[in-house]
Amino acid sequence: MSAPVTIRQFNFPEDYDAVWSLWNSIPQGIQVSRSDTRAEIEKKLQRDPDLFLVGESGGAIVGAVIGAFDGRRGAIYHLAVSNTYRGQGVGSQLLEEVEARLRAKGCIRCRLFVTLENEEAARFYERRGWSLSDDVRPYTKDFD
């Protein structure tokens, strides 16, 4: 069993490198992109900084999740837990906390995306009450 984990708000810029490293250490499922650069994360934090959370143990970041709320619907991105802490409830703690914070803002519906190859994540979310949406097809457009 690893050391206890505390869930807290992400601190920018102090936590950025550790979270970036965590995301990049995940073998599948986290698609780090140009929207995850320092500048883009700083922009995100101007909107709802209380929805970007980290799990910390012994001074090290061992988990992270980004929540977003547009005033009507919520979204959850990049839930990640370090390999050493998987299976110990850290992901559940992060998910429950970001969901609670979204509900407190008045959010009544939330979406998240799971990459096609990430069956482990799909099972994780399904066990926590999330269901596969069959009413939308995600489209993406990058703006230069």
Side-chain angles (χ1 to χ4, degrees):
M1 184 79 169
S2 301
V5 175
T6 301
I7 305 302
R8 64 167 175 80
Q9 188 171 311
F10 173 86
N11 292 318
F12 185 82
E14 300 86 356
D15 294 335
Y16 180 81
D17 290 337
V19 170
W20 178 266
S21 293
L22 172 65
W23 289 337
N24 282 292
S25 75
I26 304 299
Q28 65 180 11
I30 301 290
Q31 296 177 335
V32 179
S33 69
R34 68 184 187 158
S35 64
D36 301 311
T37 63
R38 282 181 187 274
E40 293 301 307
I41 293 297
E42 190 171 21
K43 285 193 313 191
K44 183 271 178 282
L45 294 171
Q46 292 171 13
R47 172 78 184 191
D48 41 25
D50 56 319
L51 295 177
F52 193 156
L53 306 174
V54 296
E56 184 177 50
S57 180
I61 292 179
V62 299
V65 65
I66 298 176
F69 184 58
D70 67 7
R72 194 171 70 92
R73 292 206 175 143
I76 296 175
Y77 304 96
H78 289 10
L79 175 60
V81 176
S82 73
N83 207 29
T84 323
Y85 282 79
R86 287 193 177 184
Q88 297 180 37
V90 177
S92 295
Q93 286 180 270
L94 286 163
L95 185 61
E96 288 168 11
E97 182 63 24
V98 78
E99 286 178 2
R101 290 178 183 215
L102 284 162
R103 279 192 298 277
K105 289 179 176 287
C107 182
I108 60 171
R109 184 165 210 182
C110 191
R111 296 215 188 256
L112 58 79
F113 299 96
V114 176
T115 57
L116 296 175
E117 80 281 358
N118 198 345
E119 287 298 320
E120 180 183 4
R123 288 188 306 275
F124 171 85
Y125 290 118
E126 288 168 4
R127 286 191 307 267
R128 285 150 186 85
W130 289 80
S131 58
L132 182 62
S133 179
D134 60 1
D135 63 339
V136 296
R137 289 186 290 182
Y139 288 80
T140 302
K141 182 178 184 179
D142 290 329
F143 298 116
D144 296 329

